Amino acid sequence: YMIWSAFYWDHHIPLPKLAPVQAKVAVALVALLCFLNSYDGEFVFDDSEAIVNNKDLRPATPLGSIWSNDFWGSNLSSNSSHKSYRPLTVLTFRLNYLLAGGLHPIGFHVLNITLHAVISVLMIDVFAILIGGLDCDEKGRTFNRAPKTSLLAAIFFAAHPVHTESVAGIVGRADLLCALFFQLSFLTYCRAFNKDDSFSVKWVVVSLVLCAAAMLCKEQGITVLGVNAAFDVLLICNVNVYELCQRLIFRKNLDLREMLRTRLLTRLALLGLGGLLMLYARWRIMGTGPPAFTEVDNPASFEENIFIRIVNYNYYYSLNAWLLLCPWWLCFDWSMGCVPLIMSATDWRIVLPLLLWCILIGLMNQALCSPDSQRRRTLTLGLVLLLVPFLPACNIFFRVGFVVAERVLYLSSAGYCLLLAFSLGHCCCHWTKQRKLLCVLVLALLCVYVVRCALRSHQWRSEQSLFFSALSVCPLNAKVHYNVGKNLADRGNATAAVKYYREAVRLHPNYVHAMNNLGNILKEKNELTEAEQLLSKAVSIQPDFAAAWMNLGIVQNSLGKFEEAEQSYWNAIRFRRKYPDCYYNLGRLESEGFFLHALRISPNAASCHGNLAVLYHRWGKLELAKRHYELSLKLDPKAPGTRDNYNMLQRKLDQLKRSAP
């Protein structure tokens, strides 16, 4: 291997030189300090579907179902499945459930925090290899030639606030496990190389198996193959990418003897073949094809104008870059109007993607053309670690179901942290007069990171604090207002919930779930006409919305529109066969209809009046119940049970009168 003795910038970094064990303990403590206060948080946001309502976690569910269902517990062959196949992640959720004896969130949170600490510690080894290669000491251990740089980068990674969603949100375990197997795959690939320039196929195969494990935790795991290949080309084979590109472009003689001697092409072929097999297996598992996302999930991807689409994709990239640079404005969801589309060249936001590309081109220029070979390699590998894990989220290869998602930056942030630590080392080296100022700035940045992590992880402890925190970040996001309203309604504050549901519908006029929930509240407040209008609009927008059909039937029944109510109930059952609440409501409607029809035929049937009174009594329609009890007793004073039921109703009415203000 190439041996580099002069990592001249490393000793200028404002950190003490720690022994390897001390460095790892320090990084672990920083990771724990940042996220420890989320250990006793609740199940929040997506945890409800992925954990609380996921039958695959229950011991009664066969273990094999994990391998045939998606991350949310739906069958992969279903058209409504999100096709996110992460059985190893679900397996750890099930293990948490078994160890805790139920759905107790503390165990889930503790494991997430522990995983982040372990990943942060392993980052020291990853960064050390990416910077200094695989030189070994006399005991055969990989020698860390840039201990301060790798330590600072690992501390930045441990404390970066953009990780809060992945660590404090239990569903983020998919990102954590994917990152862990990603690291293990890379470190295992590094073990394949021997001092005599040979390599072990066995370790390459083990690396591919670990890559497959990363994919079974989250799809992003396959990108480790790109990092492994870049490491092999740049550090193992010491290929000058700039010179290689020049030879390819200008059709100069391309000398393949060195690549054949080091068997680089053989290893790249193994990585490529392994990657293709994994992608093929993933496609077969997906079953019915890719998931069907809607325009509200990713509006730019539905734009017919390709120029507008490309501009907005690049704007999304700049927003992701901003989250890495300044992770202060964080939100649990960035869809539904949170990021309005750029529709013309006069929109000032078009400057942001241009600025991003200027920075990236500058970094690429340094990575390819710098006379310092060490700088070239470190910058190139830092950019690879930044960009390659982000590729599945970039909308280039396939449409993704989000606009911006902090969780997808968990791995990419490692590349950013490496570039940041490397840049600070060079600044400290060349700006000797400002070194004290740089030391203060580094310390201040770390303090800000820790404080922001603590604040943000505290917000993730409950849905109330999480949803309300998003109002100031994404006030135009209809989903934020919907979730705030739902949280208020669940806590019994229906009056306050109405305001947020109305705002959600105003921001997104086709938001059927907000219409359904708002219609439900208005139904309880006896504002039946508006409730009917909202629910009718909801089912006209989404005809297969079974819950909205049932609620519409309840409202129509209360308005006396019995035939329309019956049709709404049948529509609900048509779209959801197993719907016990709807069958119950339909039974109630038909029984009332039968009694009323009987009374139209025979108005003096005491038994019909008595049974109809019992029905109204159970429904809480007390005045109607009283009226029919009295008619029944007038027609048949000795009707069995009717007098007792009537007396029971009278006691309840008297009690209500006494408790009234």
Side-chain angles (χ1 to χ4, degrees):
Y1 308 113
M2 292 294 295
I3 298 177
W4 304 281
S5 57
F7 291 82
Y8 53 89
W9 74 86
D10 189 68
H11 69 278
H12 290 283
I13 287 180
L15 283 179
K17 187 173 182 180
L18 301 177
V21 174
Q22 292 174 326
K24 291 180 178 180
V25 169
V27 170
L29 289 175
V30 171
L32 294 174
L33 177 65
C34 289
F35 299 105
L36 192 60
N37 67 340
S38 66
Y39 85 95
D40 59 347
E42 304 169 0
F43 293 115
V44 298
F45 194 40
D46 286 340
D47 295 345
S48 298
E49 289 302 314
I51 298 170
V52 178
N53 299 327
N54 191 343
K55 62 183 183 301
D56 287 341
L57 271 65
R58 309 298 193 274
T61 305
L63 196 60
S65 65
I66 291 176
W67 303 95
S68 58
N69 291 342
D70 66 15
F71 186 54
W72 313 95
S74 301
N75 194 290
L76 279 163
S77 61
S78 169
N79 290 328
S80 61
S81 170
H82 278 214
K83 311 297 182 182
S84 44
Y85 187 63
R86 303 166 190 174
L88 292 186
T89 303
V90 179
L91 195 61
T92 66
F93 291 155
R94 183 160 175 151
L95 182 62
N96 269 127
Y97 186 99
L98 291 173
L99 292 175
L103 288 171
H104 304 292
I106 286 182
F108 289 84
H109 282 294
V110 167
L111 183 52
N112 270 30
I113 297 167
T114 304
L115 282 170
H116 176 64
V118 171
I119 293 163
S120 300
V121 167
L122 284 175
M123 279 299 174
I124 297 178
D125 296 329
V126 173
F127 292 144
I129 292 172
L130 290 175
I131 297 169
L134 295 175
D135 292 331
C136 298
D137 58 18
E138 61 278 2
K139 295 182 180 179
R141 294 174 299 193
T142 303
F143 188 71
N144 188 347
R145 293 190 169 275
K148 290 187 177 182
T149 309
S150 56
L151 173 58
L152 182 60
I155 291 174
F156 281 142
F157 180 86
H160 203 294
V162 83
H163 298 159
T164 312
E165 180 178 1
S166 298
V167 182
I170 298 171
V171 168
R173 186 175 302 170
D175 302 279
L176 299 173
L177 289 170
C178 175
L180 179 62
F181 284 110
F182 184 104
Q183 291 175 312
L184 294 175
S185 177
F186 172 75
L187 294 172
T188 304
Y189 189 78
C190 294
R191 292 199 63 179
F193 301 98
N194 304 311
K195 289 183 178 180
D196 59 356
D197 286 345
S198 64
F199 77 97
S200 168
V201 174
K202 177 187 73 174
W203 284 113
V204 174
V205 172
V206 172
S207 177
L208 288 170
V209 171
L210 289 168
C211 172
M215 274 193 76
L216 292 174
C217 296
K218 190 174 182 180
E219 298 76 6
Q220 194 179 15
I222 196 171
T223 58
V224 70
L225 299 180
V227 176
N228 289 348
F231 167 78
D232 199 338
V233 170
L234 294 168
L235 279 177
I236 300 301
C237 297
N238 195 28
V239 173
N240 188 317
V241 177
Y242 181 67
E243 290 182 1
L244 180 63
C245 291
Q246 279 191 321
R247 289 179 179 275
L248 289 171
I249 293 170
F250 297 109
R251 298 181 180 178
K252 293 182 179 179
N253 291 331
L254 188 63
D255 188 2
L256 296 177
R257 285 177 296 180
E258 183 63 20
M259 294 184 185
L260 292 172
R261 186 186 68 80
T262 58
R263 300 179 70 187
L264 170 63
L265 297 179
T266 303
R267 294 191 296 275
L268 293 181
L270 284 172
L271 292 176
L273 180 61
L276 287 173
L277 288 173
M278 290 178 213
L279 289 174
Y280 175 73
R282 181 69 180 79
W283 183 258
R284 290 297 302 269
I285 288 168
M286 201 181 293
T288 56
F293 297 117
T294 61
E295 187 173 352
V296 296
D297 298 319
N298 186 355
S301 66
F302 286 85
E303 273 296 324
E304 293 183 3
N305 188 311
I306 192 167
F307 174 77
I308 292 177
R309 203 185 314 161
I310 292 171
V311 167
N312 281 281
Y313 284 164
N314 281 274
Y315 178 53
Y316 295 166
Y317 306 156
S318 66
L319 290 178
N320 281 283
W322 181 248
L323 289 176
L324 291 175
L325 287 168
C326 183
W328 196 261
W329 292 274
L330 301 174
C331 186
F332 70 92
D333 184 89
W334 293 82
S335 64
M336 283 198 171
C338 188
V339 183
L341 289 177
I342 296 174
M343 300 301 292
S344 73
T346 58
D347 193 320
W348 69 269
R349 293 175 297 164
I350 206 168
V351 174
L352 298 177
L354 293 175
L355 180 61
L356 171 66
W357 278 108
C358 286
I359 295 171
L360 284 176
I361 290 170
L363 284 171
M364 290 175 185
N365 179 62
Q366 285 291 305
L368 294 175
C369 306
S370 173
D372 184 340
S373 61
Q374 181 57 48
R375 179 187 294 186
R376 286 202 309 269
R377 281 185 288 267
T378 305
L379 285 176
T380 303
L381 287 169
L383 285 169
V384 167
L385 191 54
L386 171 68
L387 299 176
V388 170
F390 184 73
L391 288 177
C394 70
N395 283 292
I396 293 175
F397 303 104
F398 47 81
R399 176 184 291 153
V400 298
F402 52 84
V403 175
V404 175
E406 294 154 26
R407 59 188 176 272
V408 303
L409 294 174
Y410 189 82
L411 272 169
S412 291
S413 65
Y416 165 75
C417 293
L418 176 56
L419 293 172
L420 180 60
F422 178 77
S423 302
L424 285 170
H426 273 274
C427 290
C428 291
C429 178
H430 295 293
W431 300 350
T432 53
K433 292 182 179 179
Q434 292 82 23
R435 192 180 176 200
K436 288 185 178 179
L437 176 61
L438 287 170
C439 292
V440 172
L441 290 176
V442 170
L443 182 61
L445 179 62
L446 287 173
C447 289
V448 169
Y449 274 11
V450 172
V451 170
R452 183 63 182 123
C453 283
L455 290 173
R456 185 61 180 157
S457 58
H458 185 270
Q459 290 172 342
W460 272 87
R461 284 161 54 92
S462 69
E463 288 196 333
Q464 181 183 357
S465 58
L466 178 65
F467 296 156
F468 273 93
S469 71
L471 288 172
S472 59
V473 180
C474 282
L476 300 179
N477 189 335
K479 189 182 285 188
V480 168
H481 291 274
Y482 168 81
N483 279 288
V484 171
K486 187 174 183 301
N487 181 259
L488 287 167
D490 290 344
R491 291 188 289 116
N493 194 347
T495 304
V498 168
K499 168 189 168 186
Y500 291 98
Y501 282 141
R502 288 193 188 281
E503 182 64 8
V505 174
R506 186 189 72 81
L507 291 169
H508 185 63
N510 292 336
Y511 200 170
V512 293
H513 291 90
M515 292 176 195
N516 178 58
N517 289 13
L518 178 57
N520 256 341
I521 293 178
L522 294 176
K523 175 191 71 180
E524 298 300 324
K525 294 166 72 72
N526 208 35
E527 298 177 24
L528 300 176
T529 303
E530 186 181 1
E532 183 184 24
Q533 291 171 352
L534 279 166
L535 293 165
S536 297
K537 185 178 179 182
V539 296
S540 67
I541 295 169
Q542 185 177 327
D544 62 348
F545 194 177
W549 276 117
M550 186 191 76
N551 291 325
L552 177 60
I554 294 172
V555 171
Q556 290 168 334
N557 181 42
S558 299
L559 288 169
K561 301 178 180 180
F562 302 117
E563 291 183 4
E564 294 177 28
E566 181 181 355
Q567 185 57 50
S568 294
Y569 288 144
W570 281 118
N571 283 336
I573 291 168
R574 180 158 61 95
F575 294 116
R576 189 191 298 178
R577 293 293 180 187
K578 298 178 180 179
Y579 205 168
D581 289 343
C582 195
Y583 282 110
Y584 172 73
N585 286 321
L586 181 61
R588 282 175 36 167
L589 170 67
E590 291 188 346
S591 60
E592 181 185 24
F594 282 130
F595 285 131
L596 290 172
H597 184 67
L599 287 172
R600 282 194 292 271
I601 298 171
S602 179
N604 296 325
S607 60
C608 284
H609 283 292
N611 284 302
L612 185 58
V614 170
L615 197 64
Y616 287 140
H617 195 166
R618 289 176 178 172
W619 294 357
K621 298 181 178 182
L622 303 185
E623 291 300 327
L624 279 173
K626 180 182 177 183
R627 175 186 162 200
H628 285 280
Y629 276 139
E630 290 174 347
L631 286 170
S632 177
L633 290 170
K634 183 179 179 180
L635 293 167
D636 184 5
K638 297 180 180 180
T642 304
R643 176 65 63 181
D644 293 335
N645 289 334
Y646 180 67
N647 291 337
M648 189 188 306
L649 175 65
Q650 283 286 25
R651 287 195 295 272
K652 186 169 185 178
L653 289 170
D654 292 341
Q655 184 180 2
L656 290 172
K657 286 179 182 178
R658 286 195 298 271
S659 62

